[in-house]
Amino acid sequence: MSSKSSNTAAVPEAKGALDRFKFEVASELGVPLTDGYNGNLTSRQNGSVGGYMVKKMIEAQEKQMSAQNGTTML
């Protein structure tokens, strides 16, 4: 089995911003995320952070796209 990770950033410069965003979301959700090892958290806690991050990113992209097109999303 290969130990090489396929989890690479598409835009490496964005890593810091994504990390800050992750901690912001975890704080909003009340998940006690720490810098480093978080093996004490449940899969549900970790998944809720990732899922909410995706939700917020999609909402931001939809707003940006609707502003560019001059339309509003329902």
Side-chain angles (χ1 to χ4, degrees):
M1 178 171 255
S2 175
S3 63
K4 185 176 178 180
S5 174
S6 64
N7 188 9
T8 58
V11 182
E13 298 82 13
K15 183 169 178 21
L18 284 171
D19 281 342
R20 287 188 301 276
F21 183 47
K22 177 174 57 177
F23 283 100
E24 175 187 321
V25 167
S27 176
E28 286 179 25
L29 297 175
V31 175
L33 192 65
T34 60
D35 193 21
Y37 180 73
N38 285 288
N40 58 318
L41 300 178
T42 65
S43 296
R44 176 171 285 203
Q45 288 173 308
N46 285 315
S48 67
V49 172
Y52 197 64
M53 285 176 69
V54 170
K55 179 181 178 184
K56 288 183 80 166
M57 286 188 275
I58 290 171
E59 288 173 352
Q61 184 63 34
E62 286 175 341
K63 286 179 185 176
Q64 180 182 358
M65 290 170 59
S66 67
Q68 288 174 349
N69 294 330
T71 61
T72 56
M73 307 245 348
L74 297 176

